[in-house]
Amino acid sequence: YFLVERRRPRRDVVFLLDGSDGTRSGFASMRDFVQRVVERLDVDENKDRVSVVQYSRDPTVQFYLNTYTTKSEVLDTVRGLRHKGGRPLNTGAALQYLRDNVFTASAGSRRLEGVPQLLIVLSGGRSSDSVDTPASELKELGVLTFAIGTRGSDSRELEKISHERSHALSVSDFTDLPTVQEQLQSSMEAVVIDVTPESPTVIVDHDIARKDVVFLLDGSDGTRNGFPAMRDFVQRVVEKFNVGENKDRVSVVQYSRDAEVHFNLNTYTTKQDVLDRVRGLRHKGGRPLNTGAALQYVRDNVFTASSGSRRQEGIPQILILLSGGRSNDNVDTPASALKEDGVFIVGIGTRNSSAEVQKIATDPSHAQSVSDFSDLPNVQQPFIASLGRVLVGVTTITPTVIVDQKTAGRDVVFLLDGSDGTRNGFPFMIDFVQRVVERLDVGANKDRVSLVQYGRDAEVHFYLSTYTKKEDILDAVRGLRHRGGRPLNTGAALQYVRDNVFTPSSGSRRLEGVPQMLILLNGGRSFDNVDTPASALKELGVFVFGIGTKRSDSAELQRISYDPNYAFSVSEFNDLPNVQEQLSSAMSTVVVRATPMTPTVIDFLVERRRPRRDVVFLLDGSDGTRSGFASMRDFVQRVVERLDVDENKDRVSVVQYSRDPTVQFYLNTYTTKSEVLDTVRGLRHKGGRPLNTGAALQYLRDNVFTASAGSRRLEGVPQLLIVLSGGRSSDSVDTPASELKELGVLTFAIGTRGSDSRELEKISHERSHALSVSDFTDLPTVQEQLQSSMEAVVIDVTPESPTVIVDHDIARKDVVFLLDGSDGTRNGFPAMRDFVQRVVEKFNVGENKDRVSVVQYSRDAEVHFNLNTYTTKQDVLDRVRGLRHKGGRPLNTGAALQYVRDNVFTASSGSRRQEGIPQILILLSGGRSNDNVDTPASALKEDGVFIVGIGTRNSSAEVQKIATDPSHAQSVSDFSDLPNVQQPFIASLGRVLVGVTTITPTVIVDQKTAGRDVVFLLDGSDGTRNGFPFMIDFVQRVVERLDVGANKDRVSLVQYGRDAEVHFYLSTYTKKEDILDAVRGLRHRGGRPLNTGAALQYVRDNVFTPSSGSRRLEGVPQMLILLNGGRSFDNVDTPASALKELGVFVFGIGTKRSDSAELQRISYDPNYAFSVSEFNDLPNVQEQLSSAMSTVVVRATPMTPTVIDLN
């Protein structure tokens, strides 16, 4: 937060004022408005710069960005401005003028240095010319435009001009400008933070980062005058390189009709030789300009080993294109081919070629534009900086640096063509969507999914925020019905998802940096235009994947897709499975691309972690694989060759099986690679039948993936299993395969044509890890694929912060064990009892330290001892040792959960929940419950109880549902296996405590730093007239305790009855005394009926928004305090839920005339609903409210667990 604060002042702000005849009377107000905005800027040559332009028929610059360097000079000139006059009003021409003459380096713009460019347009009428193209060009340039109009303006035109719709503001006439100043100021602040370069300190050490760089220069007739500047530019860029045979290599190619190599990557090995050759370059000349052919030429002749390219060695390949005109031939195919080869393309174009260069570049952000090539010196610094960023990007492509896609999260929207023409294919679309969803990691903070169907128009089936569980999404998808309708309006549908689905209110996390993906399934050519909405989605940063059939227009699909490579084609929809892997791979690439980069971590941290793996090979040695066994043995050797075998790095085991398994060697048998390889070379085929793959998998689970056999699973080391199988198993693989997955083993299965592909998929950790070859002699063809998947998986499963340890002496907690004592656990009960003892051994038991309770249940629950029964560890352990199995049936886990909520997690039983002490429930359950567990589990979670659990194969799914998070549930085959999970369980309990600890008041984040956005919603209806003065006093007392400031606590107040009225927004006041003055001056509003639901919806839509000063998107806690004196006339449930979904913490305070159940439903948590007899009793709940607000700040604050332990 402080970093952003320090950066914030650097802005280039341009005002464009309508000086036409129609604004004569309003001009003084416009001038005053400019002064007030400038007053709040920090004007200085190295901070904020200001320019003012006035326009009517044509524009007049009053002063440029580099004219004045002090605020007083700017204000003096603004005060002296005279109205220009004239007509018609040509806003389009004025915007174009700014682009070409004001937002330029020579006019003082620091755009190329990354300084935010802001344009504030004040316009009083509709433009006589078109604003579309110049507005788009300003957006492409990165200018953030705010447009303010009057009743005479065209609101749609203002929206087109603005950077986004919310930046188009409106007043009745210019005398009302003060009413939008705060909103503008707030948006400007938000925008500046938004566009601040994210990691300006990222510098690539060119001495370390070897690269092959090819310059491709436009030498056609059109660049004759600009060629000397191009040549100088190449020299200046090369000066930054570290040229050498084993360092950076450089090549230069010039082209017009055809291409000519001046020198190859392996021609020169010193910088001086390269520079001497570049200085001697002569312009080639010729026409037409065939950029496509030139791209193909460098792909076929320059980026090759014979020409010095080291692509096969993993060295980054960079192409720098300088093009001054539009190509005569097609550039898409050769550009795509280069990108597929891993070549990173960066480019500089002129006004004639910039759009095409953007298309050719690896990413549009890697393309820059100049007016003509004589301006190249102006872009040299930003170009070299962007080249540095590209190199960081290139490095991340190497297989050792795959990002954990499960952590990243994605917002995935499916757009399905439901028109008349797809009726027969619709069931196949549904199947495809299900298969894609199956591979996502669905969760509120993980992957989110939405689905839209369209024909003539679009219909949302569910939004990104509708479901948080995979099974709910799959159920909804299965229930879809084909919509029908014509014509097919794909353009309108794309626009619809942009405006209505990729929005925060619909659950999109775009503004939080989460990758946004749209998967379009389309069966025909669109009736309407797709280009504009497709571009709008790309500008929004949405990655669009298009899949069409033979009836689709492939060129249209490519234009819609984010990249032509993201457009896939099938003959009919029943062929969709053929492109699933391609889509999945492309989606993974996107996640890596969209994930914020931390290059210093990528290069070193991941590399150091990677080698720790336990790798087990399970080889089919049955009669059917005799001829292929030598190939299997060779394959194992090649994989082992690439491992780093050592006792503390990679360990290897090999097992061969047919009817039964035989261990060739365990994970702890050998500690050197040579020993492993020698043994593998000497392997003999086992023989035998039938093939019992299920029994072999079970054997591995019980005998190989164990600590005694050398497995380091309990230390968090990734467990990998590679199965080579040549036939269908005679026994079932389902249960043992599931148990291996539960154990955390990552299985890759490779089969031949004799194998059962569905069986291989069941065995594999995920479908993409099931590979297939014709016979075992083809194994080399899948080795790279396996190796790459293994690397990805290892990074995926590496514990993220192994150093997080909770000091149990500091972290006080109340822990309740809930043990399944039903008939089904009789044999396992001694193991459960031992487990409780071992966990308690880790606690620091004491009256003011850790407290423990044990409850056993079957049909009903029985407390063995409460949280306040014992105060020493020894007493607890003695009592646990004496526990006897209860017995009984059925198993009512739901009733037991309800029992501990009502009778154990209570103050009278020793719970310190009201003091903020973490409340933990540890559930051990051995079977499926006879009653419903959802409601009581939810009630415990709402009370703030953290639930962790261990289940058996019969109960693991239910225990996951009960636990606070599925990751807090573990599974064992039966309770005798509890010792195997003890270590990871205690570690996970530690992690839970870090999470819980953030709730305790002793860990409250400095609220002066954290800041809060606090909105008061006061019932001003007829029924509260007498109580209103007490409400005012209460609000004042709460505000008195806040730390008010623009970057601290912000306050807004809304009063409502029949409808709602804002007295002031979050961005209106930045001083406490101003807020208190405004509160003292409030008058009771009156009115009826009381529409609390409408008021809640109103504050959601109009107050908790960035334009009104809300900092929700910056992670600042959002709080709503409702003072209510009666039951609502309308429904409150939907708007209350919408506020909670938005993350707003609602506190409800009511009187005896309020509906207490309604108030609890409105509040974020039932504990946040308070009650007084009359409003004059409000002081009685002030402390409770203040305490709850403090808790919320901690809960909403991002966690930094390493801080928690020490402070």
Side-chain angles (χ1 to χ4, degrees):
Y1 200 78
F2 293 118
L3 187 61
V4 172
E5 202 56 36
R6 285 200 293 270
R7 283 193 197 150
R8 208 192 67 206
R10 282 167 58 82
R11 291 171 286 195
D12 292 341
V13 183
V14 178
F15 293 88
L16 179 62
L17 310 183
D18 174 353
S20 66
D21 289 348
T23 62
R24 194 171 303 280
S25 60
F27 191 73
S29 300
M30 292 161 79
R31 195 171 51 205
D32 292 347
F33 180 76
V34 173
Q35 287 180 71
R36 281 194 305 273
V37 174
V38 171
E39 280 287 5
R40 310 257 301 253
L41 299 177
D42 189 10
V43 179
D44 183 89
E45 187 176 4
N46 295 316
K47 294 181 182 173
D48 295 333
R49 296 184 181 179
V50 181
S51 166
V52 174
V53 179
Q54 199 182 157
Y55 79 105
S56 51
R57 174 190 292 275
D58 45 47
T60 302
V61 177
Q62 309 288 343
F63 53 92
Y64 289 99
L65 287 164
N66 52 5
T67 306
Y68 301 122
T69 57
T70 69
K71 188 183 289 185
S72 57
E73 291 174 308
V74 171
L75 290 173
D76 287 347
T77 307
V78 171
R79 285 187 199 102
L81 289 180
R82 293 288 171 270
H83 186 257
K84 172 181 167 65
R87 56 195 167 102
L89 182 67
N90 290 329
T91 308
L95 294 171
Q96 190 63 46
Y97 181 87
L98 294 181
R99 182 191 183 284
D100 297 339
N101 300 281
V102 179
F103 288 109
T104 60
S106 57
S109 164
R110 295 165 295 174
R111 180 178 70 85
L112 300 174
E113 299 168 37
V115 174
Q117 308 290 288
L118 276 63
L119 171 62
I120 301 170
V121 180
L122 275 71
S123 163
R126 179 176 293 167
S127 178
S128 291
D129 61 352
S130 169
V131 301
D132 294 359
T133 303
S136 294
E137 289 189 357
L138 280 169
K139 288 174 190 170
E140 281 176 14
L141 210 62
V143 177
L144 303 152
T145 307
F146 302 84
I148 306 176
T150 65
R151 68 165 74 95
S153 309
D154 178 344
S155 60
R156 289 176 62 84
E157 183 175 276
L158 292 176
E159 286 179 359
K160 281 183 194 169
I161 292 170
S162 299
H163 181 252
E164 51 185 68
R165 282 188 181 174
S166 64
H167 293 162
L169 309 175
S170 187
V171 290
S172 179
D173 56 54
F174 287 123
T175 56
D176 291 332
L177 280 170
T179 62
V180 296
Q181 185 173 347
E182 281 307 316
Q183 209 174 338
L184 171 70
Q185 210 81 34
S186 166
S187 297
M188 284 171 67
E189 302 295 344
V191 155
V192 171
I193 290 168
D194 205 31
V195 300
T196 302
E198 281 171 36
S199 24
T201 54
V202 172
I203 296 163
V204 173
D205 182 347
H206 298 295
D207 292 346
I208 295 169
R210 297 186 295 160
K211 51 195 175 289
D212 293 340
V213 183
V214 178
F215 291 89
L216 181 59
L217 310 181
D218 173 354
S220 65
D221 290 348
T223 62
R224 192 170 305 281
N225 295 336
F227 192 75
M230 293 162 79
R231 191 173 53 209
D232 292 347
F233 180 79
V234 173
Q235 287 180 71
R236 283 193 302 271
V237 174
V238 170
E239 282 285 4
K240 302 287 183 181
F241 292 164
N242 187 18
V243 178
E245 187 174 1
N246 295 315
K247 297 175 182 173
D248 295 335
R249 296 184 181 180
V250 179
S251 166
V252 173
V253 180
Q254 196 182 163
Y255 78 102
S256 53
R257 173 190 292 276
D258 44 42
E260 176 191 340
V261 178
H262 288 295
F263 52 93
N264 276 313
L265 290 162
N266 52 5
T267 306
Y268 300 119
T269 56
T270 70
K271 187 186 289 184
Q272 199 53 52
D273 288 343
V274 171
L275 291 173
D276 288 347
R277 185 72 177 84
V278 170
R279 284 188 199 99
L281 291 180
R282 292 289 172 269
H283 186 256
K284 173 180 167 59
R287 57 196 168 99
L289 182 67
N290 291 328
T291 307
L295 293 169
Q296 191 63 43
Y297 180 88
V298 294
R299 177 179 186 267
D300 296 341
N301 299 283
V302 183
F303 286 111
T304 60
S306 59
S307 297
S309 164
R310 296 167 292 175
R311 184 169 71 87
Q312 301 297 341
E313 300 168 39
I315 304 295
Q317 308 289 289
I318 318 279
L319 174 65
I320 300 175
L321 168 68
L322 275 70
S323 164
R326 185 171 295 165
S327 178
N328 189 57
D329 61 353
N330 181 281
V331 299
D332 294 348
T333 306
S336 295
L338 280 164
K339 292 171 194 172
E340 281 176 14
D341 285 352
V343 176
F344 262 71
I345 309 175
V346 290
I348 303 177
T350 65
R351 64 164 67 100
N352 301 322
S353 63
S354 63
E356 185 173 88
V357 171
Q358 280 191 339
K359 195 161 55 166
I360 293 169
T362 294
D363 187 271
S365 65
H366 296 152
Q368 298 192 36
S369 182
V370 290
S371 177
D372 56 56
F373 286 125
S374 59
D375 286 339
L376 280 169
N378 297 339
V379 298
Q380 184 186 334
Q381 272 313 107
F383 178 80
I384 288 171
S386 85
L387 187 59
R389 284 193 293 275
V390 162
L391 285 168
V392 174
V394 174
T395 312
T396 63
I397 303 260
T398 66
T400 53
V401 192
I402 289 169
V403 175
D404 178 352
Q405 290 147 15
K406 290 186 179 165
T407 306
R410 292 169 285 194
D411 290 341
V412 181
V413 179
F414 293 90
L415 180 58
L416 308 187
D417 173 351
S419 65
D420 288 350
T422 63
R423 194 170 305 278
N424 295 335
F426 197 71
F428 300 107
M429 290 194 207
I430 296 304
D431 289 346
F432 181 77
V433 172
Q434 288 181 71
R435 282 195 304 273
V436 174
V437 171
E438 279 287 5
R439 290 169 70 169
L440 299 178
D441 187 21
V442 176
N445 297 315
K446 298 176 182 174
D447 294 333
R448 295 184 181 180
V449 180
S450 167
L451 192 141
V452 181
Q453 195 183 161
Y454 79 104
R456 173 190 291 275
D457 47 35
E459 175 190 358
V460 178
H461 289 291
F462 51 91
Y463 291 97
L464 289 163
S465 54
T466 306
Y467 299 121
T468 57
K469 293 181 181 171
K470 187 182 289 185
E471 53 268 32
D472 292 342
I473 293 171
L474 292 172
D475 286 346
V477 172
R478 287 184 199 105
L480 289 181
R481 293 290 171 269
H482 186 258
R483 197 163 179 271
R486 56 196 167 102
L488 181 67
N489 290 328
T490 307
L494 294 170
Q495 190 64 43
Y496 181 89
V497 294
R498 181 192 184 281
D499 296 341
N500 299 282
V501 181
F502 287 109
T503 61
S505 58
S506 298
S508 163
R509 296 165 293 174
R510 181 177 67 86
L511 299 174
E512 299 165 43
V514 173
Q516 309 289 289
M517 301 186 189
L518 175 65
I519 299 172
L520 167 67
L521 296 179
N522 164 276
R525 178 177 294 167
S526 179
F527 187 74
D528 63 350
N529 183 280
V530 301
D531 292 349
T532 305
S535 295
L537 279 165
K538 290 172 193 171
E539 280 179 12
L540 208 63
V542 177
F543 292 92
V544 185
F545 303 87
I547 306 176
T549 67
K550 64 187 177 192
R551 283 174 292 280
S552 306
D553 180 340
S554 60
E556 181 180 88
L557 215 57
Q558 286 190 334
R559 293 201 310 277
I560 292 170
S561 299
Y562 184 77
D563 182 291
N565 294 327
Y566 294 160
F568 308 107
S569 186
V570 292
S571 179
E572 299 288 352
F573 286 121
N574 57 6
D575 293 326
L576 281 170
N578 299 343
V579 295
Q580 186 173 349
E581 282 305 319
Q582 275 174 280
L583 173 67
S584 185
S585 166
M587 286 172 70
S588 300
T589 308
V590 159
V591 173
V592 174
R593 184 185 299 183
T595 303
M597 284 190 234
T598 49
T600 53
V601 173
I602 283 167
D603 293 341
F604 304 105
L605 188 61
V606 172
E607 204 55 37
R608 279 202 294 270
R609 278 191 194 159
R610 204 194 72 202
R612 283 169 57 83
R613 290 171 286 193
D614 291 341
V615 183
V616 178
F617 293 89
L618 179 61
L619 310 182
D620 174 353
S622 66
D623 290 347
T625 62
R626 194 170 303 280
S627 60
F629 191 73
S631 300
M632 293 161 77
R633 195 171 50 207
D634 293 346
F635 180 76
V636 173
Q637 287 180 70
R638 283 194 303 273
V639 175
V640 171
E641 281 286 6
R642 306 222 350 219
L643 300 177
D644 189 8
V645 179
D646 183 88
E647 187 175 4
N648 296 315
K649 295 180 182 172
D650 294 334
R651 295 184 182 180
V652 180
S653 167
V654 174
V655 180
Q656 199 182 158
Y657 79 104
S658 53
R659 174 189 292 274
D660 45 45
T662 302
V663 177
Q664 310 287 343
F665 52 92
Y666 289 99
L667 288 164
N668 52 5
T669 305
Y670 301 122
T671 57
T672 69
K673 188 184 290 185
S674 58
E675 291 174 307
V676 171
L677 290 172
D678 286 347
T679 308
V680 170
R681 286 187 199 103
L683 289 180
R684 293 290 171 267
H685 186 256
K686 172 180 166 64
R689 58 195 167 100
L691 183 67
N692 290 329
T693 308
L697 294 171
Q698 189 64 44
Y699 181 88
L700 294 180
R701 183 194 181 282
D702 297 339
N703 299 282
V704 179
F705 287 110
T706 61
S708 58
S711 163
R712 295 165 294 175
R713 183 176 67 85
L714 299 176
E715 299 168 38
V717 174
Q719 307 290 288
L720 276 62
L721 170 63
I722 300 169
V723 180
L724 275 71
S725 163
R728 178 176 295 167
S729 179
S730 291
D731 61 353
S732 169
V733 301
D734 294 359
T735 304
S738 295
E739 291 189 356
L740 281 168
K741 289 174 190 171
E742 283 176 12
L743 209 63
V745 176
L746 304 152
T747 307
F748 301 85
I750 306 176
T752 66
R753 67 164 76 94
S755 309
D756 178 344
S757 60
R758 290 176 61 84
E759 183 176 274
L760 293 176
E761 287 180 359
K762 281 183 194 168
I763 293 170
S764 300
H765 182 249
E766 52 184 71
R767 281 187 181 175
S768 64
H769 294 163
L771 309 174
S772 187
V773 291
S774 178
D775 56 56
F776 287 124
T777 55
D778 291 333
L779 280 170
T781 62
V782 295
Q783 184 173 347
E784 281 309 313
Q785 205 176 340
L786 171 70
Q787 210 81 33
S788 166
S789 298
M790 283 171 66
E791 303 294 346
V793 156
V794 172
I795 290 170
D796 205 29
V797 300
T798 303
E800 280 171 36
S801 25
T803 53
V804 173
I805 297 162
V806 173
D807 182 344
H808 299 294
D809 293 345
I810 296 170
R812 297 185 293 161
K813 51 196 174 290
D814 293 340
V815 182
V816 178
F817 291 88
L818 181 58
L819 310 182
D820 173 354
S822 66
D823 290 347
T825 62
R826 192 170 307 279
N827 296 335
F829 193 74
M832 294 162 78
R833 191 173 52 208
D834 292 347
F835 180 79
V836 174
Q837 288 180 70
R838 284 193 301 271
V839 174
V840 171
E841 281 285 5
K842 302 288 183 181
F843 292 163
N844 187 19
V845 177
E847 188 175 1
N848 295 315
K849 298 176 182 173
D850 296 334
R851 295 183 181 180
V852 180
S853 165
V854 174
V855 180
Q856 196 182 161
Y857 77 102
S858 53
R859 174 190 292 275
D860 44 42
E862 175 191 340
V863 178
H864 288 296
F865 52 93
N866 276 314
L867 289 163
N868 52 5
T869 306
Y870 300 119
T871 57
T872 71
K873 187 185 292 185
Q874 199 53 51
D875 290 340
V876 172
L877 291 173
D878 289 346
R879 184 72 177 85
V880 171
R881 284 187 199 101
L883 291 180
R884 293 289 172 269
H885 186 257
K886 173 180 165 62
R889 58 196 167 98
L891 182 67
N892 291 328
T893 307
L897 294 169
Q898 191 64 43
Y899 180 88
V900 294
R901 179 178 186 267
D902 296 340
N903 299 282
V904 183
F905 286 111
T906 60
S908 59
S909 296
S911 164
R912 296 166 292 177
R913 184 169 71 88
Q914 300 297 341
E915 299 168 40
I917 303 296
Q919 308 289 289
I920 318 277
L921 176 65
I922 299 175
L923 169 68
L924 274 71
S925 164
R928 186 170 296 164
S929 179
N930 189 55
D931 62 353
N932 181 281
V933 299
D934 295 349
T935 305
S938 296
L940 281 164
K941 292 170 194 172
E942 282 177 12
D943 284 351
V945 176
F946 262 72
I947 309 175
V948 289
I950 302 178
T952 65
R953 62 165 70 100
N954 301 321
S955 63
S956 62
E958 186 173 87
V959 171
Q960 280 192 338
K961 196 161 56 166
I962 293 169
T964 295
D965 187 89
S967 65
H968 295 152
Q970 298 193 35
S971 182
V972 290
S973 177
D974 56 56
F975 286 125
S976 60
D977 286 340
L978 280 169
N980 296 340
V981 297
Q982 183 187 333
Q983 275 310 107
F985 178 81
I986 288 171
S988 85
L989 187 60
R991 285 193 292 277
V992 163
L993 284 167
V994 174
V996 177
T997 306
T998 61
I999 295 182
T1000 67
T1002 53
V1003 189
I1004 286 176
V1005 175
D1006 179 354
Q1007 289 149 15
K1008 293 183 181 175
T1009 306
R1012 292 170 286 194
D1013 291 341
V1014 182
V1015 179
F1016 292 90
L1017 180 59
L1018 308 187
D1019 173 354
S1021 65
D1022 290 348
T1024 62
R1025 195 170 304 279
N1026 296 335
F1028 197 71
F1030 301 108
M1031 290 193 208
I1032 296 304
D1033 291 345
F1034 181 76
V1035 172
Q1036 288 180 72
R1037 280 196 304 275
V1038 175
V1039 171
E1040 280 288 4
R1041 293 173 64 171
L1042 298 178
D1043 187 17
V1044 176
N1047 298 316
K1048 298 176 182 174
D1049 295 332
R1050 296 184 182 178
V1051 180
S1052 167
L1053 192 141
V1054 181
Q1055 195 184 162
Y1056 80 101
R1058 173 191 292 275
D1059 45 41
E1061 176 193 351
V1062 178
H1063 288 291
F1064 51 90
Y1065 289 98
L1066 289 163
S1067 54
T1068 306
Y1069 300 120
T1070 56
K1071 294 180 181 172
K1072 187 182 289 185
E1073 52 269 31
D1074 292 340
I1075 293 171
L1076 292 172
D1077 287 345
V1079 172
R1080 287 185 200 103
L1082 289 180
R1083 293 289 172 267
H1084 186 259
R1085 197 164 180 271
R1088 58 194 166 103
L1090 181 67
N1091 290 328
T1092 307
L1096 294 170
Q1097 191 64 42
Y1098 181 87
V1099 293
R1100 181 192 183 280
D1101 296 341
N1102 299 281
V1103 182
F1104 288 109
T1105 61
S1107 57
S1108 298
S1110 164
R1111 297 164 294 174
R1112 181 177 69 85
L1113 300 174
E1114 299 166 37
V1116 174
Q1118 308 289 289
M1119 302 185 189
L1120 175 66
I1121 300 171
L1122 167 67
L1123 296 179
N1124 165 274
R1127 178 177 294 168
S1128 179
F1129 186 73
D1130 62 354
N1131 183 281
V1132 300
D1133 294 346
T1134 305
S1137 294
L1139 280 165
K1140 290 172 192 171
E1141 281 177 13
L1142 209 62
V1144 178
F1145 294 94
V1146 185
F1147 303 89
I1149 305 176
T1151 66
K1152 63 187 177 191
R1153 282 172 293 280
S1154 306
D1155 179 341
S1156 60
E1158 179 178 277
L1159 216 57
Q1160 285 189 334
R1161 292 202 310 275
I1162 291 171
S1163 299
Y1164 185 79
D1165 184 280
N1167 295 325
Y1168 293 164
F1170 307 107
S1171 186
V1172 292
S1173 178
E1174 299 288 351
F1175 286 121
N1176 57 5
D1177 293 327
L1178 281 170
N1180 299 342
V1181 295
Q1182 186 171 349
E1183 281 309 313
Q1184 274 174 282
L1185 173 68
S1186 186
S1187 166
M1189 286 171 70
S1190 299
T1191 306
V1192 157
V1193 172
V1194 175
R1195 184 183 298 185
T1197 304
M1199 286 192 249
T1200 50
T1202 51
V1203 173
I1204 285 168
D1205 294 341
L1206 302 174
N1207 294 336

